[in-house]
Amino acid sequence: MLIKTKKQIPSSEITPESVYRNRREFLKGSANIAMGVGAIGSGLLSPGALAQDGLMARAPTDLNLASKPQWLVDKVRNRADAPASGPFTTDEALTPFEDATTYNNFFEFGTGKGDPASRSGGFSIDPWSVEIAGEVNRPGTYTLEDILAPHAFEERIYRLRCVEAFSLVVPWIGFPLADLINRFEPNSNARFVEFETLYDPEQMPGHRQRLSSLTWPYREGLRMDEAMHPLTIMVVGLYDDILPTQNGAPLRLMVPWKYGFKSIKSVVRINFRRDMPPTTWNDYASNEYGFYSNVNPNVSHPRWSQAMERRLPSGLFDRRIETQMFNGYADEVAHLYQGMDLREYF
Ligand SMILES: Nc1nc2c(c(=O)[nH]1)N[C@H]1C(S)=C(S)[C@@H](COP(=O)(O)O)O[C@H]1N2
Ligand SMILES: [Mo]
């Protein structure tokens, strides 16, 4: 949890957005190919960048997967693009694929930012199943295929703000959690949703550490109205492909107005509860990591300010920007917390 403070990076050095967006136009078969060529001419686009950001299919090994289920790849590719504007997308510069997939928090694979990418090779997501449990009419253990079958995927370009004060902008691919929840018919006792990550000491070195400070499996939770909010999505891909292991393959949560640790990875269990579930980081240090953990520049972490953030990619100079209330999603979500003291319910 180290926070560096350096000078601003000129925005001209941040080009991946144009690379990716041009590519989307390219794939749509529009006349914008010419734009891409122009971009190469101006030095914005290189063949290397094209490969990196998705024009070439990635091998399972590139995503730290044992295998890539073709049905899932096809479903991810055959999706709706992010809307041009509105709360479900941001036009801020995208964090390059390379940075979004090599600078990660996934403590099951180690505590270093590079560990999840370097230590998760050969991770198996086939077969994968998700248990639906608790206060629902249709509990059961469902295969990933069954879980995903009725959902059309869409791209959402969201900001992700880690509690450690770095942030990213990522083109996620997924679907609203509300649509999944409705299928399993929670009953009137369901006031909270609890999520659990896979527990697998053989595949996850963090689980083998004898003196781990975190309790496994990794757990997170949301209030029911937070889970049903249209911004809350289940993610199956990023940058035009399925999720790499380090980003939470094959299925993870994304709640863009909360600190990143709420967006639990590699989910195997969704449990509907009457009471507020225990969560991993809150168990570890309840004075530092609250259940709500809404992004809030006015409420400091006990050990550092949350007023600013460092936007990836990290370069020679860090780009520091102001953190926004609810990570910039206040218009959409502030009403969920009306009347609550956000210092008490941090
Ligand atoms: N199971 C699990 N989920 C997790 C984590 C983790 O360690 N284990 N880290 C969280 C944290 S602290 C952040 S910031 C985000 C990072 O997501 P990303 O690596 O896709 O950017 O994942 C969250 N989800
Ligand atoms: Mo985080």
Side-chain angles (χ1 to χ4, degrees):
M1 304 249 177
L2 208 116
I3 300 156
K4 290 184 280 177
T5 51
K6 287 184 196 159
K7 288 197 206 100
Q8 296 264 328
I9 191 167
S11 59
S12 60
E13 287 183 26
I14 300 156
T15 56
E17 177 193 13
S18 59
V19 172
Y20 183 72
R21 287 179 205 272
N22 286 348
R23 169 173 181 277
R24 295 301 309 160
E25 298 305 316
F26 179 86
L27 281 192
K28 281 179 201 155
S30 75
N32 285 321
I33 294 168
M35 251 174 69
V37 172
I40 290 176
S42 66
L44 278 174
L45 203 61
S46 68
L50 283 174
Q52 169 184 297
D53 279 333
L55 254 184
M56 283 155 65
R58 285 180 205 98
T61 46
D62 294 340
L63 301 177
N64 283 319
L65 296 170
S67 65
K68 270 176 93 169
Q70 192 57 45
W71 64 269
L72 186 53
V73 176
D74 292 344
K75 205 169 145 74
V76 158
R77 295 256 158 88
N78 183 24
R79 62 160 197 275
D81 282 339
S85 63
F88 298 127
T89 196
T90 170
D91 57 10
E92 288 160 88
L94 301 178
T95 298
F97 175 86
E98 184 65 24
D99 298 76
T101 57
T102 58
Y103 192 94
N104 301 97
N105 276 329
F106 199 165
F107 286 78
E108 285 86 337
F109 292 103
T111 53
K113 295 289 178 279
D115 288 346
S118 66
R119 301 176 76 194
S120 67
F123 187 69
S124 173
I125 58 165
D126 194 11
W128 191 271
S129 59
V130 179
E131 184 193 352
I132 307 286
E135 303 286 353
V136 276
N137 294 336
R138 299 178 56 216
T141 299
Y142 300 86
T143 64
L144 185 65
E145 289 90 326
D146 286 343
I147 287 285
L148 299 179
H151 302 287
F153 298 161
E154 56 192 283
E155 188 176 63
R156 299 272 183 105
I157 302 177
Y158 280 170
R159 291 174 289 275
L160 171 59
R161 171 46 159 93
C162 177
V163 73
E164 294 169 63
F166 67 85
S167 65
L168 304 76
V169 176
V170 178
W172 303 108
I173 298 153
F175 59 96
L177 173 60
D179 293 347
L180 183 145
I181 289 178
N182 285 333
R183 279 169 62 203
F184 297 101
E185 301 168 15
N187 63 40
S188 58
N189 291 328
R191 293 177 54 233
F192 294 90
V193 196
E194 175 183 37
F195 302 85
E196 268 179 39
T197 294
L198 178 71
Y199 178 76
D200 188 346
E202 283 195 8
Q203 295 203 80
M204 295 173 149
H207 291 157
R208 298 198 295 268
Q209 245 172 299
R210 287 192 50 231
L211 292 175
S212 168
S213 44
L214 300 179
T215 50
W216 309 114
Y218 192 102
R219 283 201 179 84
E220 259 310 332
L222 296 172
R223 219 169 54 187
M224 200 63 175
D225 58 344
E226 299 176 320
M228 296 298 289
H229 192 281
L231 280 171
T232 305
I233 56 173
M234 293 306 294
V235 164
V236 291
L238 54 72
Y239 265 111
D240 227 15
D241 210 333
I242 68 173
L243 282 174
T245 302
Q246 59 267 36
N247 296 89
L251 181 69
R252 59 98 55 95
L253 180 69
M254 185 50 56
V255 196
W257 71 93
K258 292 177 178 285
Y259 291 123
F261 66 86
K262 299 293 292 182
S263 291
I264 183 172
K265 296 176 170 178
S266 306
V267 170
V268 294
R269 188 163 186 266
I270 302 176
N271 184 29
F272 295 84
R273 299 170 59 123
R274 203 189 277 264
D275 54 331
M276 187 179 273
T279 59
T280 295
W281 284 100
N282 187 251
D283 283 350
Y284 172 70
S286 60
N287 62 320
E288 299 193 358
Y289 309 102
F291 176 82
Y292 287 96
S293 283
N294 295 315
V295 174
N296 188 341
N298 308 314
V299 176
S300 298
H301 184 279
R303 292 183 282 128
W304 60 84
S305 164
Q306 295 290 26
M308 304 286 288
E309 65 198 55
R310 179 170 58 88
R311 177 63 57 83
L312 299 186
S314 314
L316 199 48
F317 301 104
D318 284 338
R319 190 160 61 110
R320 287 188 28 99
I321 56 176
E322 285 182 6
T323 289
Q324 304 175 71
M325 189 66 207
F326 296 113
N327 201 24
Y329 301 98
D331 287 350
E332 285 71 40
V333 302
H335 71 274
L336 298 175
Y337 311 101
Q338 213 141 43
M340 283 173 68
D341 179 349
L342 297 179
R343 283 180 188 279
E344 187 181 349
Y345 299 100
F346 60 94

